[in-house]
Amino acid sequence: MSSVSFPALITKKRNKEELSRDEIEAFVNGIANNSVQDSQIGAMLMAMYLNDLTMRETTDLTRAMMNSGDTLSWPEEWKGNLVDKHSTGGVGDKVSLILAPALAACGVKVPMISGRGLEHTGGTLDKLESIPGFQVSVTSEKMLDIIETVGCCIVGQTKKLCPADSKMYAIRDVTATVDNLGLITGSIISKKAAEKIDALVLDVKFGNGAFLKDIDTARKLARMMVGSGNGLGINTVSLLTSMNSPLGKMVGNALEVAETVWTLQGNGPDDLLNLVIELGGELLSVAGKAPSSEEGRRMVKDTISDGTALARFCHMAKAQGVDPAKADALCAPDTDVFSVLPRAGAIKELLSRNRLCDRY
Ligand code: IUR
């Protein structure tokens, strides 16, 4: 759009009219190049919050946010093989740490960009950083190299990826506009779309330990995110899963890494293992890598029982900076994972008092 009047766009949305794709792009580009004032962003977010975004507006917002910064690019021969997973977050949710290497062992490529903890839920990056030496900040060249050799990596976001989202999120946070389904969808899916993946599975959690408490709202968000992902050409599927109790038995960064290793060794708790298998099966199916989700589930399960997922996890840890001897010690059969993880003494003491180890 040639010359845009931001107040006119705010007025239009305030008056409950739909914004066109060009109008949404103009506003988001204005956010990215600092030509829209923070007060205008706040006003637009509140207009969107109060009047909601249609599915079409949400997809256009997501696309514009994705295009506000760098996007990743991959070798031509990887086309069709790039997949990822996103969870809206829950207590004890260490699924990504297990699923990424399991998927890599199934032969797909997983350029997973993860986040930090939000409210009471821990972040995948914080969990991985409890392994001494694990680097989550890597360049895109290094990311390509790791995925080439390992098949997966789990890294943090750079400032250049979806810069409009960082700005919008900061303003949503102080203008009481966080919990709008269209805005949440734009924020989450734009970052996944910037990875330039072909397929995506979403774990949308509901319940008293989740960001969304009731299943109906979770279902609406799931539908919106699936619609937006598909609208951007990503084969997207979503599962609604309960967060009325923590996932697995371990909660806390180092403890969750320990439970990840135990699960990859075939000794994980059923709820965690089943969720990994369900999400992986749906993803492989929607990605066209398995003829059905049932077959996809079998593929994921096999990588855990034959040890190939654990081997990928160990390889990923080494590729992301962990001392090879330490990574081997962490993943070895019959290993004491706490000999590698920090605060081993304190954690062991806690475990022995709570007798949590017995359950394994
Ligand atoms: N995570 C995101 O990446 N964006 C959001 O808006 C929320 C969680 I809520």
Side-chain angles (χ1 to χ4, degrees):
M1 271 170 69
S2 44
S3 90
V4 276
S5 155
F6 297 127
L9 298 184
I10 298 166
T11 307
K12 191 169 176 186
K13 191 65 204 169
R14 186 201 66 192
N15 290 348
K16 302 185 168 52
E17 289 174 59
E18 261 195 64
L19 295 176
S20 70
R21 175 169 167 171
D22 283 353
E23 287 167 337
I24 290 173
E25 277 171 9
F27 202 85
V28 172
N29 290 342
I31 296 174
N33 66 26
N34 294 316
S35 58
V36 188
Q37 297 167 21
D38 285 4
S39 53
Q40 293 174 315
I41 301 173
M44 178 60 100
L45 289 171
M46 186 56 82
M48 289 175 164
Y49 183 95
L50 293 173
N51 297 327
D52 282 328
L53 294 162
T54 63
M55 189 66 246
R56 202 262 315 142
E57 283 179 311
T58 304
T59 305
D60 289 342
L61 177 71
T62 311
R63 186 188 305 99
M65 290 169 77
M66 169 189 80
N67 287 331
S68 70
D70 290 353
T71 54
L72 302 180
S73 57
W74 308 112
E76 194 51 38
E77 62 271 21
W78 292 7
K79 189 93 202 86
N81 289 322
L82 288 146
V83 304
D84 197 6
K85 166 256 175 189
H86 177 82
S87 160
T88 55
V91 180
D93 186 352
K94 69 282 289 170
V95 166
S96 292
L97 278 64
I98 304 162
L99 187 57
L103 289 166
C106 290
V108 288
K109 308 274 185 204
V110 192
M112 189 179 280
I113 296 180
S114 284
R116 300 276 172 192
L118 197 66
E119 297 184 345
H120 59 283
T121 63
T124 297
L125 302 180
D126 308 309
K127 293 170 196 184
L128 284 169
E129 279 178 346
S130 69
I131 307 173
F134 200 105
Q135 292 294 327
V136 296
S137 299
V138 304
T139 62
S140 40
E141 291 76 28
K142 177 85 181 159
M143 203 173 165
L144 182 85
D145 186 48
I146 299 171
I147 298 172
E148 174 101 61
T149 53
V150 184
C152 63
C153 66
I154 306 181
V155 301
Q157 193 184 337
T158 66
K159 284 198 168 59
K160 291 185 185 159
L161 199 101
C162 299
D165 175 60
S166 317
K167 189 129 187 213
M168 286 166 75
Y169 193 86
I171 296 179
R172 280 166 65 203
D173 207 25
V174 294
T175 55
T177 53
V178 168
D179 56 336
N180 174 272
L181 300 184
L183 296 176
I184 297 173
T185 297
S187 172
I188 291 175
I189 303 296
S190 62
K191 285 175 282 191
K192 291 287 147 186
E195 293 174 0
K196 292 289 163 186
I197 47 174
D198 302 295
L200 173 66
V201 66
L202 300 163
D203 182 5
V204 180
K205 302 214 169 280
F206 64 90
N208 52 26
F211 171 66
L212 299 170
K213 309 294 173 214
D214 73 285
I215 191 166
D216 292 334
T217 315
R219 187 174 288 118
K220 277 188 197 150
L221 179 63
R223 290 207 174 115
M224 245 184 171
M225 293 202 291
V226 168
S228 170
N230 284 328
L232 298 187
I234 304 166
N235 292 319
T236 309
V237 65
S238 169
L239 296 185
L240 290 177
T241 69
S242 166
M243 189 32 73
N244 283 319
S245 58
L247 195 52
K249 296 189 169 62
M250 297 288 158
V251 179
N253 295 336
L255 289 171
E256 292 188 40
V257 169
E259 194 168 55
T260 294
V261 173
W262 294 328
T263 304
L264 287 165
Q265 288 171 336
N267 300 317
D270 286 347
D271 61 340
L272 175 61
L273 183 63
N274 287 341
L275 185 54
V276 169
I277 292 170
E278 287 289 332
L279 289 164
E282 289 300 328
L283 180 57
L284 290 173
S285 168
V286 81
K289 299 294 158 192
S292 64
S293 27
E294 194 182 358
E295 182 62 16
R297 286 195 286 274
R298 196 195 53 73
M299 286 165 69
V300 175
K301 212 170 170 176
D302 285 353
T303 68
I304 293 178
S305 34
D306 66 14
T308 51
L310 178 65
R312 295 290 172 134
F313 177 82
C314 189
H315 199 174
M316 176 177 78
K318 291 175 191 171
Q320 292 193 232
V322 178
D323 175 332
K326 281 206 168 140
D328 286 335
L330 180 68
C331 301
D334 305 320
T335 189
D336 173 3
V337 292
F338 297 114
S339 66
V340 178
L341 297 173
R343 300 199 296 130
I347 291 171
K348 271 182 168 171
E349 164 65 20
L350 204 69
L351 287 172
S352 70
R353 271 195 273 142
N354 290 339
R355 303 180 58 78
L356 281 173
C357 276
D358 288 355
R359 300 194 197 160
Y360 289 89

